Amino acid sequence: MTMNELGLGCVVRPLAAGLWYSKPLPRLRCGQAAVAAVLLGVVGFSAAAKADDKPAGPAATATMQPKTTTGSLTITGMVTPYKAVAGYLPIIDNLGPDRYGKAKANIFSIAYTKTNADGEALSADETAMRPITFAFNGGPGSSSVWLHMGALGPVRIKFGTEGERPAPPFELVQNVHSWLPFTDLVFIDPVSTGFSRASEGEDARQFHGLEEDSKAVGEFIRLWLVRNGRWMSPKYLAGESYGTTRACQLATELQGQHGVDLTGITLISPVLNFATVRFDVGNDLPYPLYLPTYAAIAFYHKQLKAPLDVSLAKTLAEVEAFALGEYTLALAKGDTLLKAEREAIAAKLSAYTGLSVQFILANELRVPISAFTKELLKASSRTVGRLDGRYVGIDRTDAGTSPDYDPSYIVIQGPFTAALNTYVRQTLKFEADAPYEILTGNVQPWNYPARNQYPTVAEKLRSAMSQNPNLKVLALSGYTDLATPYFAMDYTVSHLSLDPSLRPNISQRYYNAGHMMYLREADLAQSTKDVAEWYGKAVIGPANLPPSPGAVAPVK
């Protein structure tokens, strides 16, 4: 698929498949919004992107020498001093002796490692005992900025308590919920994202695919371990959205190709089996798996009637049972479903989603994301977000079958862009004229190995856990996330065919917000506590913030 088919180049338009809205949004002229649609998780396309773009190597605009700075993070009186290193590692061509040593690409990363109070490196024994976490976001096409400056790193962008968009100028604050007290952190920008680029003369497309990307990131991790002497440290991955897809593929790559056994993988807003999230004709699986998220969003916006509007926990339990029971059976019957049965199912769907019976029947009992986000609050001339259904937007008109934009993406685009560009240059002292590609379409089309089927890395995860029975997995999901719905991950976990002895190695946690649940401060605090306990460490952050008035409480 060409970039013109994607609506890129001089216009930006979302795809009509997969995790995208099911129908294209209006085109935007060049110079308007930089990104009109969001891929898996938090990734969209830049307006000037072309599939055959070959960005110049970083040496053209920035020194290849890493920049090292120091800092400290103080949380409830406890100080964590650290060293920050921003710079490149090369991906070396090892296809033969005549080419070995040639850098095919240079991957940019920002690493935070704990030091002693004097800023000196920890002892060899202390370093070996300290976990190291390699973190990345999704897309494909996203840099690691979201996890870096939204959740895990030592500084974060200040949002409202519930994740409200701040007014410019944006503010960076110490992240009292950072993971740094219990693990060192390496934020990786895959090739063509952030400052990472293919070397001069190399085709960047060789890195743009599920397997290709995994090999490059795996080689980066191997070399980072070598250069930093961290082979004996407990090693973790943390991925968000498509980053969770990468993490599962990467687990087998590291284990099989490099002999790197992982201690754990944190999957944030995960998607492992794309059949669970793509609203394609003939694929009915997403409809029951999205239904609980529709219900959670309708509950949040007070669109449900008694008794479904009283307890989110009870409502979701009822909806989940219906989704995998009566609803799945009704969809399986197809055109043989009797009229009375169809109307009964429509009535229940209406009760669970806040949508009218007539609307549901007109959609043949199958309401895709775009229709739901446009329709739920249409009476109030508002739309709801896809990354997080708590956010609302205003379209030009109430007509149409899909929103003009994703209001939950607009909240994050400006603040994260400004914060990263300021922080990396002023605080980390890494100077580069090249743009930091927070979101890019240069990676499209992405190469999936699947043919005539949906990509899945669920089997990769099962295999990695079977071969390394000490590998632990923690999945974090948000109730109001329409990009990677929580019930789709529940379904995937229940279909892994794991040996019973390994099932306790997977843990799941749920939060009140959406795809980037950490924008809501109470969920950021709780998720850090959950992850720290899972690492086997005591979190030293402040007590969990209480839910704000009117906020739903965790139920699982």
Side-chain angles (χ1 to χ4, degrees):
M1 182 174 287
T2 68
M3 296 308 264
N4 285 336
E5 289 174 308
L6 296 183
L8 295 173
C10 199
V11 293
V12 181
R13 185 175 60 179
L15 283 175
L19 293 176
W20 303 72
Y21 283 114
S22 64
K23 294 186 178 180
L25 302 185
R27 294 187 174 212
L28 300 181
R29 298 170 184 256
C30 290
Q32 289 183 300
V35 178
V38 182
L39 261 168
L40 270 173
V42 290
V43 177
F45 292 103
S46 52
K50 295 182 180 179
D52 58 354
D53 280 352
K54 298 177 182 178
T61 54
T63 175
M64 295 298 290
Q65 296 301 314
K67 296 293 185 181
T68 301
T69 54
T70 58
S72 64
L73 180 64
T74 302
I75 305 175
T76 59
M78 298 185 67
V79 179
T80 302
Y82 62 84
K83 176 180 69 174
V85 178
Y88 294 100
L89 282 183
I91 301 302
I92 301 298
D93 190 331
N94 58 3
L95 294 178
D98 59 326
R99 289 177 59 84
Y100 190 84
K102 180 179 182 294
K104 295 172 70 66
N106 292 282
I107 291 184
F108 180 78
S109 69
I110 298 173
Y112 300 94
T113 54
K114 185 180 179 181
T115 65
N116 61 29
D118 296 326
E120 301 296 327
L122 301 179
S123 69
D125 289 342
E126 289 176 309
T127 299
M129 293 293 293
R130 185 159 168 82
I132 178 71
T133 299
F134 297 93
F136 34 76
N137 275 90
S142 176
S143 67
S144 60
V145 64
W146 317 104
L147 286 179
H148 178 193
M149 305 199 72
L152 279 59
V155 298
R156 70 181 181 91
I157 304 159
K158 185 177 181 180
F159 280 80
T161 301
E162 287 295 309
E164 299 94 339
R165 177 192 175 108
F170 307 116
E171 182 181 0
L172 285 175
V173 297
Q174 276 210 337
N175 183 10
V176 296
H177 308 295
S178 172
W179 292 13
L180 192 55
F182 56 86
T183 178
D184 290 340
L185 298 164
V186 182
F187 296 98
I188 304 171
D189 293 335
V191 177
S192 299
T193 74
F195 288 134
S196 300
R197 301 290 189 273
S199 298
E200 186 175 355
E202 294 286 345
D203 189 344
R205 288 175 292 187
Q206 67 186 290
F207 303 102
H208 298 165
L210 178 62
E211 295 177 352
E212 298 89 334
D213 166 87
S214 175
K215 290 181 183 299
V217 176
E219 172 59 17
F220 170 93
I221 291 174
R222 181 202 68 81
L223 185 56
W224 196 95
L225 294 172
V226 168
R227 292 194 177 184
N228 291 273
R230 299 299 294 269
W231 277 94
M232 298 300 288
S233 297
K235 293 171 280 292
Y236 291 79
L237 302 179
E240 180 179 352
S241 197
Y242 179 84
T244 65
T245 311
R246 174 185 293 118
C248 294
Q249 179 78 20
L250 190 55
T252 57
E253 176 73 22
L254 290 171
Q255 194 168 287
Q257 296 299 317
H258 302 296
V260 176
D261 281 357
L262 297 170
T263 300
I265 305 174
T266 304
L267 305 175
I268 302 166
S269 301
V271 56
L272 309 187
N273 181 353
F274 284 47
T276 64
V277 295
R278 288 192 166 169
F279 289 84
D280 294 331
V281 174
N283 179 31
D284 281 341
L285 186 56
Y287 296 100
L289 300 183
Y290 271 77
L291 183 60
T293 298
Y294 289 174
I297 295 170
F299 182 99
Y300 179 86
H301 290 291
K302 304 185 185 305
Q303 298 300 300
L304 303 185
K305 298 178 180 179
L308 297 171
D309 61 342
V310 177
S311 167
L312 181 63
K314 292 181 179 180
T315 295
L316 290 184
E318 181 178 328
V319 174
E320 290 172 10
F322 169 78
L324 293 185
E326 291 180 72
Y327 187 31
T328 294
L329 179 59
L331 295 178
K333 288 184 177 182
D335 293 341
T336 67
L337 189 68
L338 298 177
K339 180 181 179 182
E341 293 176 309
R342 187 181 305 274
E343 291 175 348
I345 293 295
K348 287 192 175 182
L349 289 173
S350 175
Y352 294 148
T353 64
L355 305 176
S356 71
V357 171
Q358 293 78 9
F359 183 81
I360 291 169
L361 287 173
N363 279 275
E364 298 183 333
L365 308 181
R366 296 165 176 84
V367 179
I369 298 172
S370 57
F372 176 81
T373 55
K374 180 72 173 182
E375 186 70 19
L376 180 67
L377 301 180
K378 182 178 284 188
S380 303
S381 295
R382 295 292 184 270
T383 63
V384 300
R386 189 182 69 96
L387 291 178
D388 191 333
R390 298 178 307 141
Y391 295 92
V392 297
I394 305 173
D395 283 357
R396 182 173 180 273
T397 70
D398 292 336
T401 59
S402 60
D404 293 348
Y405 64 97
D406 179 0
S408 54
Y409 172 66
I410 296 301
V411 168
I412 62 176
Q413 181 186 14
F416 276 88
T417 301
L420 187 285
N421 279 285
T422 300
Y423 177 73
V424 74
R425 291 174 170 87
Q426 295 184 9
T427 301
L428 300 183
K429 307 302 181 184
F430 190 89
E431 295 289 343
D433 291 335
Y436 184 88
E437 296 283 0
I438 286 180
L439 305 170
T440 181
N442 287 335
V443 303
Q444 298 298 327
W446 194 255
N447 181 37
Y448 288 105
R451 295 294 182 268
N452 299 320
Q453 62 182 1
Y454 293 101
T456 177
V457 293
E459 174 57 19
K460 294 286 186 180
L461 180 62
R462 186 209 62 79
S463 177
M465 295 180 69
S466 298
Q467 295 178 44
N468 176 10
N470 294 311
L471 176 60
K472 303 295 193 298
V473 176
L474 175 64
L476 313 180
S477 298
Y479 287 128
T480 57
D481 177 7
L482 284 170
T484 56
Y486 81 90
F487 203 45
M489 183 58 181
D490 290 357
Y491 178 91
T492 300
V493 169
S494 68
H495 288 73
L496 282 177
S497 297
L498 273 177
D499 185 85
S501 66
L502 298 175
R503 290 172 188 165
N505 286 10
I506 295 186
S507 303
Q508 292 179 262
R509 300 290 184 271
Y510 305 84
Y511 305 93
N512 301 325
H515 197 71
M516 302 170 73
M517 73 286 290
Y518 45 81
L519 294 183
R520 181 174 182 267
E521 195 166 359
D523 286 343
L524 173 60
Q526 184 61 51
S527 62
T528 299
K529 180 176 184 294
D530 292 340
V531 172
E533 291 175 348
W534 180 73
Y535 271 69
K537 308 294 181 180
V539 68
I540 64 172
N544 291 344
L545 298 172
S548 299
V552 296
V555 298
K556 286 190 177 183

mmCIF file of all heavy atoms in Angstrom, residues 298 303-305 342-367 371-372 374-379:
data_model
loop_
_atom_site.group_PDB
_atom_site.id
_atom_site.type_symbol
_atom_site.label_atom_id
_atom_site.label_comp_id
_atom_site.label_asym_id
_atom_site.label_seq_id
_atom_site.Cartn_x
_atom_site.Cartn_y
_atom_site.Cartn_z
ATOM 1 N N ALA A 298 -19.626 4.046 28.496
ATOM 2 C CA ALA A 298 -21.007 4.500 28.693
ATOM 3 C C ALA A 298 -21.284 4.722 30.176
ATOM 4 O O ALA A 298 -21.976 5.683 30.556
ATOM 5 C CB ALA A 298 -21.979 3.476 28.115
ATOM 6 N N GLN A 303 -24.419 7.110 30.701
ATOM 7 C CA GLN A 303 -25.361 6.781 29.639
ATOM 8 C C GLN A 303 -26.099 5.466 29.897
ATOM 9 O O GLN A 303 -26.895 5.038 29.066
ATOM 10 C CB GLN A 303 -24.624 6.691 28.298
ATOM 11 C CG GLN A 303 -23.968 7.990 27.865
ATOM 12 C CD GLN A 303 -24.972 9.112 27.698
ATOM 13 O OE1 GLN A 303 -25.899 9.016 26.889
ATOM 14 N NE2 GLN A 303 -24.806 10.184 28.464
ATOM 15 N N LEU A 304 -25.820 4.812 31.036
ATOM 16 C CA LEU A 304 -26.500 3.571 31.375
ATOM 17 C C LEU A 304 -27.624 3.844 32.370
ATOM 18 O O LEU A 304 -27.564 4.785 33.158
ATOM 19 C CB LEU A 304 -25.503 2.558 31.975
ATOM 20 C CG LEU A 304 -24.301 2.191 31.112
ATOM 21 C CD1 LEU A 304 -23.480 1.099 31.789
ATOM 22 C CD2 LEU A 304 -24.723 1.757 29.710
ATOM 23 N N LYS A 305 -28.622 2.990 32.329
ATOM 24 C CA LYS A 305 -29.770 3.129 33.220
ATOM 25 C C LYS A 305 -29.698 2.092 34.334
ATOM 26 O O LYS A 305 -28.985 1.094 34.236
ATOM 27 C CB LYS A 305 -31.068 2.974 32.416
ATOM 28 C CG LYS A 305 -31.247 4.034 31.337
ATOM 29 C CD LYS A 305 -32.530 3.803 30.540
ATOM 30 C CE LYS A 305 -32.692 4.870 29.456
ATOM 31 N NZ LYS A 305 -33.919 4.652 28.646
ATOM 32 N N ARG A 342 -32.854 -11.589 17.323
ATOM 33 C CA ARG A 342 -32.096 -10.404 16.932
ATOM 34 C C ARG A 342 -32.537 -9.186 17.763
ATOM 35 O O ARG A 342 -31.713 -8.412 18.252
ATOM 36 C CB ARG A 342 -32.309 -10.139 15.443
ATOM 37 C CG ARG A 342 -31.441 -9.030 14.861
ATOM 38 C CD ARG A 342 -31.764 -8.837 13.376
ATOM 39 N NE ARG A 342 -31.627 -10.080 12.640
ATOM 40 C CZ ARG A 342 -30.488 -10.529 12.127
ATOM 41 N NH1 ARG A 342 -29.390 -9.808 12.274
ATOM 42 N NH2 ARG A 342 -30.450 -11.678 11.472
ATOM 43 N N GLU A 343 -33.836 -9.027 17.932
ATOM 44 C CA GLU A 343 -34.342 -7.885 18.672
ATOM 45 C C GLU A 343 -34.006 -7.990 20.155
ATOM 46 O O GLU A 343 -33.734 -6.981 20.810
ATOM 47 C CB GLU A 343 -35.859 -7.779 18.462
ATOM 48 C CG GLU A 343 -36.221 -7.372 17.026
ATOM 49 C CD GLU A 343 -37.721 -7.381 16.778
ATOM 50 O OE1 GLU A 343 -38.465 -7.915 17.637
ATOM 51 O OE2 GLU A 343 -38.157 -6.858 15.725
ATOM 52 N N ALA A 344 -33.994 -9.205 20.687
ATOM 53 C CA ALA A 344 -33.638 -9.399 22.097
ATOM 54 C C ALA A 344 -32.164 -9.069 22.336
ATOM 55 O O ALA A 344 -31.805 -8.423 23.342
ATOM 56 C CB ALA A 344 -33.931 -10.835 22.521
ATOM 57 N N ILE A 345 -31.308 -9.491 21.408
ATOM 58 C CA ILE A 345 -29.883 -9.175 21.529
ATOM 59 C C ILE A 345 -29.669 -7.673 21.396
ATOM 60 O O ILE A 345 -28.894 -7.063 22.152
ATOM 61 C CB ILE A 345 -29.068 -9.931 20.464
ATOM 62 C CG1 ILE A 345 -29.104 -11.438 20.731
ATOM 63 C CG2 ILE A 345 -27.630 -9.431 20.435
ATOM 64 C CD1 ILE A 345 -28.431 -11.871 22.015
ATOM 65 N N ALA A 346 -30.349 -7.040 20.465
ATOM 66 C CA ALA A 346 -30.222 -5.597 20.274
ATOM 67 C C ALA A 346 -30.637 -4.838 21.529
ATOM 68 O O ALA A 346 -30.026 -3.827 21.898
ATOM 69 C CB ALA A 346 -31.043 -5.144 19.078
ATOM 70 N N ALA A 347 -31.690 -5.308 22.195
ATOM 71 C CA ALA A 347 -32.155 -4.650 23.415
ATOM 72 C C ALA A 347 -31.092 -4.711 24.507
ATOM 73 O O ALA A 347 -30.852 -3.734 25.230
ATOM 74 C CB ALA A 347 -33.451 -5.293 23.892
ATOM 75 N N LYS A 348 -30.430 -5.866 24.635
ATOM 76 C CA LYS A 348 -29.378 -5.984 25.648
ATOM 77 C C LYS A 348 -28.166 -5.139 25.284
ATOM 78 O O LYS A 348 -27.563 -4.490 26.146
ATOM 79 C CB LYS A 348 -28.972 -7.451 25.822
ATOM 80 C CG LYS A 348 -30.015 -8.284 26.558
ATOM 81 C CD LYS A 348 -29.458 -9.640 26.962
ATOM 82 C CE LYS A 348 -30.475 -10.406 27.810
ATOM 83 N NZ LYS A 348 -29.940 -11.720 28.266
ATOM 84 N N LEU A 349 -27.806 -5.141 24.016
ATOM 85 C CA LEU A 349 -26.688 -4.307 23.591
ATOM 86 C C LEU A 349 -26.980 -2.831 23.851
ATOM 87 O O LEU A 349 -26.093 -2.071 24.243
ATOM 88 C CB LEU A 349 -26.400 -4.530 22.106
ATOM 89 C CG LEU A 349 -25.772 -5.873 21.718
ATOM 90 C CD1 LEU A 349 -25.713 -6.008 20.198
ATOM 91 C CD2 LEU A 349 -24.375 -5.999 22.308
ATOM 92 N N SER A 350 -28.195 -2.431 23.640
ATOM 93 C CA SER A 350 -28.594 -1.051 23.908
ATOM 94 C C SER A 350 -28.440 -0.724 25.388
ATOM 95 O O SER A 350 -27.920 0.333 25.753
ATOM 96 C CB SER A 350 -30.036 -0.826 23.463
ATOM 97 O OG SER A 350 -30.473 0.472 23.817
ATOM 98 N N ALA A 351 -28.866 -1.637 26.232
ATOM 99 C CA ALA A 351 -28.767 -1.415 27.678
ATOM 100 C C ALA A 351 -27.314 -1.318 28.129
ATOM 101 O O ALA A 351 -26.976 -0.520 29.009
ATOM 102 C CB ALA A 351 -29.476 -2.546 28.424
ATOM 103 N N TYR A 352 -26.437 -2.105 27.505
ATOM 104 C CA TYR A 352 -25.035 -2.147 27.918
ATOM 105 C C TYR A 352 -24.185 -1.025 27.325
ATOM 106 O O TYR A 352 -23.123 -0.707 27.858
ATOM 107 C CB TYR A 352 -24.418 -3.489 27.519
ATOM 108 C CG TYR A 352 -24.994 -4.688 28.250
ATOM 109 C CD1 TYR A 352 -25.073 -5.922 27.620
ATOM 110 C CD2 TYR A 352 -25.438 -4.585 29.566
ATOM 111 C CE1 TYR A 352 -25.590 -7.033 28.283
ATOM 112 C CE2 TYR A 352 -25.954 -5.681 30.232
ATOM 113 C CZ TYR A 352 -26.036 -6.910 29.592
ATOM 114 O OH TYR A 352 -26.546 -8.011 30.241
ATOM 115 N N THR A 353 -24.620 -0.443 26.227
ATOM 116 C CA THR A 353 -23.798 0.551 25.540
ATOM 117 C C THR A 353 -24.356 1.965 25.579
ATOM 118 O O THR A 353 -23.624 2.922 25.284
ATOM 119 C CB THR A 353 -23.612 0.170 24.062
ATOM 120 O OG1 THR A 353 -24.899 0.192 23.412
ATOM 121 C CG2 THR A 353 -22.985 -1.204 23.917
ATOM 122 N N GLY A 354 -25.637 2.131 25.881
ATOM 123 C CA GLY A 354 -26.255 3.446 25.830
ATOM 124 C C GLY A 354 -26.652 3.862 24.429
ATOM 125 O O GLY A 354 -27.128 4.982 24.229
ATOM 126 N N LEU A 355 -26.478 2.983 23.448
ATOM 127 C CA LEU A 355 -26.891 3.257 22.073
ATOM 128 C C LEU A 355 -28.326 2.786 21.873
ATOM 129 O O LEU A 355 -28.793 1.880 22.565
ATOM 130 C CB LEU A 355 -25.963 2.543 21.089
ATOM 131 C CG LEU A 355 -24.465 2.838 21.223
ATOM 132 C CD1 LEU A 355 -23.671 1.990 20.245
ATOM 133 C CD2 LEU A 355 -24.168 4.318 21.027
ATOM 134 N N SER A 356 -29.017 3.367 20.928
ATOM 135 C CA SER A 356 -30.417 3.005 20.721
ATOM 136 C C SER A 356 -30.531 1.643 20.054
ATOM 137 O O SER A 356 -29.626 1.187 19.330
ATOM 138 C CB SER A 356 -31.110 4.048 19.839
ATOM 139 O OG SER A 356 -30.652 3.967 18.503
ATOM 140 N N VAL A 357 -31.667 0.986 20.284
ATOM 141 C CA VAL A 357 -31.941 -0.300 19.651
ATOM 142 C C VAL A 357 -31.939 -0.140 18.134
ATOM 143 O O VAL A 357 -31.394 -0.983 17.407
ATOM 144 C CB VAL A 357 -33.291 -0.867 20.139
ATOM 145 C CG1 VAL A 357 -33.697 -2.092 19.314
ATOM 146 C CG2 VAL A 357 -33.213 -1.226 21.622
ATOM 147 N N GLN A 358 -32.530 0.942 17.644
ATOM 148 C CA GLN A 358 -32.607 1.165 16.200
ATOM 149 C C GLN A 358 -31.210 1.287 15.588
ATOM 150 O O GLN A 358 -30.942 0.750 14.509
ATOM 151 C CB GLN A 358 -33.425 2.435 15.903
ATOM 152 C CG GLN A 358 -34.898 2.343 16.263
ATOM 153 C CD GLN A 358 -35.165 2.508 17.760
ATOM 154 O OE1 GLN A 358 -34.266 2.855 18.535
ATOM 155 N NE2 GLN A 358 -36.410 2.251 18.157
ATOM 156 N N PHE A 359 -30.325 1.990 16.275
ATOM 157 C CA PHE A 359 -28.961 2.154 15.782
ATOM 158 C C PHE A 359 -28.240 0.809 15.730
ATOM 159 O O PHE A 359 -27.529 0.503 14.767
ATOM 160 C CB PHE A 359 -28.199 3.128 16.678
ATOM 161 C CG PHE A 359 -26.798 3.425 16.224
ATOM 162 C CD1 PHE A 359 -26.561 4.348 15.220
ATOM 163 C CD2 PHE A 359 -25.707 2.775 16.797
ATOM 164 C CE1 PHE A 359 -25.266 4.628 14.791
ATOM 165 C CE2 PHE A 359 -24.418 3.039 16.370
ATOM 166 C CZ PHE A 359 -24.199 3.976 15.371
ATOM 167 N N ILE A 360 -28.410 0.011 16.748
ATOM 168 C CA ILE A 360 -27.741 -1.298 16.808
ATOM 169 C C ILE A 360 -28.285 -2.230 15.738
ATOM 170 O O ILE A 360 -27.522 -2.938 15.067
ATOM 171 C CB ILE A 360 -27.900 -1.901 18.214
ATOM 172 C CG1 ILE A 360 -27.069 -1.076 19.210
ATOM 173 C CG2 ILE A 360 -27.461 -3.366 18.236
ATOM 174 C CD1 ILE A 360 -27.331 -1.392 20.650
ATOM 175 N N LEU A 361 -29.604 -2.228 15.536
ATOM 176 C CA LEU A 361 -30.180 -3.053 14.477
ATOM 177 C C LEU A 361 -29.712 -2.587 13.102
ATOM 178 O O LEU A 361 -29.444 -3.410 12.214
ATOM 179 C CB LEU A 361 -31.708 -3.019 14.558
ATOM 180 C CG LEU A 361 -32.338 -3.790 15.717
ATOM 181 C CD1 LEU A 361 -33.842 -3.522 15.778
ATOM 182 C CD2 LEU A 361 -32.067 -5.296 15.578
ATOM 183 N N ALA A 362 -29.605 -1.275 12.913
ATOM 184 C CA ALA A 362 -29.136 -0.749 11.633
ATOM 185 C C ALA A 362 -27.699 -1.161 11.345
ATOM 186 O O ALA A 362 -27.280 -1.252 10.187
ATOM 187 C CB ALA A 362 -29.251 0.775 11.622
ATOM 188 N N ASN A 363 -26.929 -1.427 12.418
ATOM 189 C CA ASN A 363 -25.545 -1.893 12.280
ATOM 190 C C ASN A 363 -25.440 -3.418 12.349
ATOM 191 O O ASN A 363 -24.336 -3.943 12.511
ATOM 192 C CB ASN A 363 -24.662 -1.257 13.357
ATOM 193 C CG ASN A 363 -24.224 0.145 13.014
ATOM 194 O OD1 ASN A 363 -23.243 0.356 12.322
ATOM 195 N ND2 ASN A 363 -24.992 1.128 13.498
ATOM 196 N N GLU A 364 -26.573 -4.095 12.233
ATOM 197 C CA GLU A 364 -26.621 -5.559 12.227
ATOM 198 C C GLU A 364 -25.950 -6.164 13.456
ATOM 199 O O GLU A 364 -25.203 -7.151 13.378
ATOM 200 C CB GLU A 364 -25.986 -6.106 10.946
ATOM 201 C CG GLU A 364 -26.723 -5.657 9.683
ATOM 202 C CD GLU A 364 -26.130 -6.249 8.423
ATOM 203 O OE1 GLU A 364 -24.922 -6.569 8.417
ATOM 204 O OE2 GLU A 364 -26.879 -6.400 7.441
ATOM 205 N N LEU A 365 -26.179 -5.546 14.607
ATOM 206 C CA LEU A 365 -25.664 -5.990 15.905
ATOM 207 C C LEU A 365 -24.150 -5.836 16.021
ATOM 208 O O LEU A 365 -23.547 -6.310 16.989
ATOM 209 C CB LEU A 365 -26.039 -7.456 16.193
ATOM 210 C CG LEU A 365 -27.519 -7.845 16.066
ATOM 211 C CD1 LEU A 365 -27.700 -9.318 16.420
ATOM 212 C CD2 LEU A 365 -28.390 -6.969 16.956
ATOM 213 N N ARG A 366 -23.534 -5.178 15.053
ATOM 214 C CA ARG A 366 -22.078 -5.052 15.021
ATOM 215 C C ARG A 366 -21.708 -3.569 14.943
ATOM 216 O O ARG A 366 -21.749 -2.976 13.871
ATOM 217 C CB ARG A 366 -21.509 -5.811 13.828
ATOM 218 C CG ARG A 366 -21.743 -7.316 13.884
ATOM 219 C CD ARG A 366 -21.488 -7.956 12.524
ATOM 220 N NE ARG A 366 -21.601 -9.403 12.547
ATOM 221 C CZ ARG A 366 -22.752 -10.066 12.426
ATOM 222 N NH1 ARG A 366 -23.894 -9.391 12.259
ATOM 223 N NH2 ARG A 366 -22.766 -11.386 12.473
ATOM 224 N N VAL A 367 -21.324 -2.987 16.068
ATOM 225 C CA VAL A 367 -21.000 -1.565 16.138
ATOM 226 C C VAL A 367 -19.488 -1.407 16.221
ATOM 227 O O VAL A 367 -18.877 -1.747 17.232
ATOM 228 C CB VAL A 367 -21.664 -0.897 17.350
ATOM 229 C CG1 VAL A 367 -21.281 0.589 17.421
ATOM 230 C CG2 VAL A 367 -23.180 -1.063 17.291
ATOM 231 N N ALA A 371 -18.237 4.105 14.895
ATOM 232 C CA ALA A 371 -19.666 4.337 15.073
ATOM 233 C C ALA A 371 -19.996 4.610 16.542
ATOM 234 O O ALA A 371 -20.789 5.497 16.868
ATOM 235 C CB ALA A 371 -20.460 3.139 14.562
ATOM 236 N N PHE A 372 -19.366 3.855 17.434
ATOM 237 C CA PHE A 372 -19.612 4.049 18.863
ATOM 238 C C PHE A 372 -19.137 5.418 19.322
ATOM 239 O O PHE A 372 -19.858 6.140 20.031
ATOM 240 C CB PHE A 372 -18.902 2.953 19.672
ATOM 241 C CG PHE A 372 -19.034 3.134 21.157
ATOM 242 C CD1 PHE A 372 -20.179 2.730 21.830
ATOM 243 C CD2 PHE A 372 -18.002 3.712 21.890
ATOM 244 C CE1 PHE A 372 -20.307 2.912 23.206
ATOM 245 C CE2 PHE A 372 -18.112 3.896 23.250
ATOM 246 C CZ PHE A 372 -19.267 3.498 23.917
ATOM 247 N N LYS A 374 -18.742 8.116 17.675
ATOM 248 C CA LYS A 374 -19.535 9.193 17.094
ATOM 249 C C LYS A 374 -20.933 9.252 17.704
ATOM 250 O O LYS A 374 -21.493 10.339 17.909
ATOM 251 C CB LYS A 374 -19.639 8.991 15.580
ATOM 252 C CG LYS A 374 -20.447 10.049 14.844
ATOM 253 C CD LYS A 374 -19.726 11.381 14.759
ATOM 254 C CE LYS A 374 -20.469 12.373 13.873
ATOM 255 N NZ LYS A 374 -19.754 13.661 13.754
ATOM 256 N N GLU A 375 -21.492 8.114 18.016
ATOM 257 C CA GLU A 375 -22.910 8.028 18.371
ATOM 258 C C GLU A 375 -23.200 8.208 19.848
ATOM 259 O O GLU A 375 -24.262 8.737 20.211
ATOM 260 C CB GLU A 375 -23.455 6.677 17.909
ATOM 261 C CG GLU A 375 -24.958 6.491 18.072
ATOM 262 C CD GLU A 375 -25.781 7.332 17.116
ATOM 263 O OE1 GLU A 375 -25.202 7.788 16.098
ATOM 264 O OE2 GLU A 375 -26.988 7.512 17.360
ATOM 265 N N LEU A 376 -22.312 7.770 20.741
ATOM 266 C CA LEU A 376 -22.641 7.684 22.166
ATOM 267 C C LEU A 376 -23.180 8.996 22.727
ATOM 268 O O LEU A 376 -24.205 9.012 23.417
ATOM 269 C CB LEU A 376 -21.413 7.234 22.968
ATOM 270 C CG LEU A 376 -21.643 7.110 24.477
ATOM 271 C CD1 LEU A 376 -22.610 5.970 24.788
ATOM 272 C CD2 LEU A 376 -20.316 6.904 25.216
ATOM 273 N N LEU A 377 -22.505 10.102 22.453
ATOM 274 C CA LEU A 377 -22.907 11.399 23.006
ATOM 275 C C LEU A 377 -23.434 12.345 21.932
ATOM 276 O O LEU A 377 -23.380 13.564 22.083
ATOM 277 C CB LEU A 377 -21.718 12.044 23.732
ATOM 278 C CG LEU A 377 -21.111 11.258 24.894
ATOM 279 C CD1 LEU A 377 -19.945 12.022 25.512
ATOM 280 C CD2 LEU A 377 -22.159 10.930 25.950
ATOM 281 N N LYS A 378 -23.960 11.788 20.844
ATOM 282 C CA LYS A 378 -24.429 12.629 19.740
ATOM 283 C C LYS A 378 -25.529 13.586 20.187
ATOM 284 O O LYS A 378 -25.620 14.717 19.701
ATOM 285 C CB LYS A 378 -24.931 11.763 18.585
ATOM 286 C CG LYS A 378 -25.398 12.574 17.387
ATOM 287 C CD LYS A 378 -25.855 11.704 16.228
ATOM 288 C CE LYS A 378 -24.678 11.112 15.494
ATOM 289 N NZ LYS A 378 -25.094 10.417 14.247
ATOM 290 N N ALA A 379 -26.362 13.162 21.119
ATOM 291 C CA ALA A 379 -27.432 14.038 21.599
ATOM 292 C C ALA A 379 -26.885 15.311 22.233
ATOM 293 O O ALA A 379 -27.570 16.339 22.282
ATOM 294 C CB ALA A 379 -28.316 13.289 22.603
#
